[in-house]
Amino acid sequence: MALQDVLVSISFLAIAAIVNSLGVIASAGVGVAEKLCGFIMLVPSSFGQSLSAFVAQNIGAGRQDRAKKAMLYGMGASLCCGVVLAWLSFFHGSLLAGLFARDAAVIGAAADYLRAYAIDTLLTSILFCFIGYFNGRGSTAFVMAQGIAGAFLVRIPVSLAMSRMEPVSLFRVGLATPCSTVVQILLFLGWYALTAAQDRRQAEII
């Protein structure tokens, strides 16, 4: 888990380097947006961390059914909060960016980047609950692998490709993050189907 956090953080540093090459306004705008994203992501992150402990307790008690229900309820509750935050980020990004910046160009750049993050706010409501569930199950190696795959095989390449498309748009650059999240969710869905099949076989043996 620690290795995954380090490598994913490195991937975001790489994206920051890509954005910095686009100019001062773009760099400042993304800097402002990242401050807001840190706050926005607190909700899905909190659900994921809470689920990790809850799932581990229930798996240990042999209540896999309750662990799965907790994951689904967590996704639903997190998504409800995510819809509100996504709406604010997509339609009122300038208002949010204005809390940290006064320059109109910087606010515009931050709002453009936040529109992409608004999409990711909805997706991470699902992704972080998957992460919490599988960490609680002890599938930490898979969680690490999918996180690294999303960061280095999707997020960085897509950011680099979008930064070279003319005219340059921070919205398109920011789309690298939800693209990565979609791939990670698909990986988790496949892993969930695999572990569910294993659980059924175990139940039949017992």
Side-chain angles (χ1 to χ4, degrees):
M1 289 168 64
L3 179 60
Q4 178 198 355
D5 286 344
V6 169
L7 293 175
V8 170
S9 295
I10 290 173
S11 77
F12 278 105
L13 285 175
I15 294 173
I18 292 170
V19 171
N20 288 343
S21 69
L22 301 179
V24 176
I25 297 298
S27 179
V30 171
V32 169
E34 288 293 350
K35 289 181 181 179
L36 291 164
C37 291
F39 171 75
I40 291 169
M41 291 300 170
L42 281 176
V43 174
S45 178
S46 298
F47 274 99
Q49 290 173 8
S50 301
L51 268 175
S52 183
F54 186 84
V55 167
Q57 291 170 346
N58 282 279
I59 292 293
R63 291 299 304 271
Q64 294 178 357
D65 59 323
R66 192 159 57 188
K68 291 176 181 178
K69 285 180 182 178
M71 179 188 69
L72 294 175
Y73 291 149
M75 287 178 179
S78 181
L79 191 58
C80 287
C81 298
V83 167
V84 176
L85 293 171
W87 178 78
L88 285 171
S89 300
F90 196 90
F91 295 105
H92 300 284
S94 297
L95 181 64
L96 296 175
L99 298 173
F100 294 96
R102 292 292 177 267
D103 186 276
V106 172
I107 291 174
D112 198 28
Y113 193 72
L114 279 173
R115 285 171 58 227
Y117 248 103
I119 301 169
D120 198 50
T121 302
L122 299 174
L123 296 172
T124 51
S125 299
I126 298 170
L127 176 65
F128 284 17
C129 287
F130 266 135
I131 290 174
Y133 174 76
F134 283 109
N135 276 336
R137 280 188 63 115
S139 300
T140 51
F142 177 77
V143 173
M144 178 189 71
Q146 63 77 36
I148 294 172
F152 291 94
L153 299 181
V154 182
R155 194 179 298 126
I156 292 176
V158 172
S159 291
L160 189 58
M162 293 299 185
S163 69
R164 293 180 176 177
M165 289 179 63
E166 296 292 343
V168 176
S169 165
L170 286 180
F171 172 70
R172 286 202 297 264
V173 173
L175 284 177
T177 302
C179 285
S180 170
T181 305
V182 168
V183 171
Q184 290 173 260
I185 289 173
L186 292 175
L187 289 172
F188 271 126
L189 287 172
W191 192 252
Y192 181 82
L194 181 62
T195 55
Q198 290 174 343
D199 291 341
R200 284 194 296 270
R201 284 195 295 269
Q202 266 187 339
E204 289 171 0
I205 293 171
I206 294 172

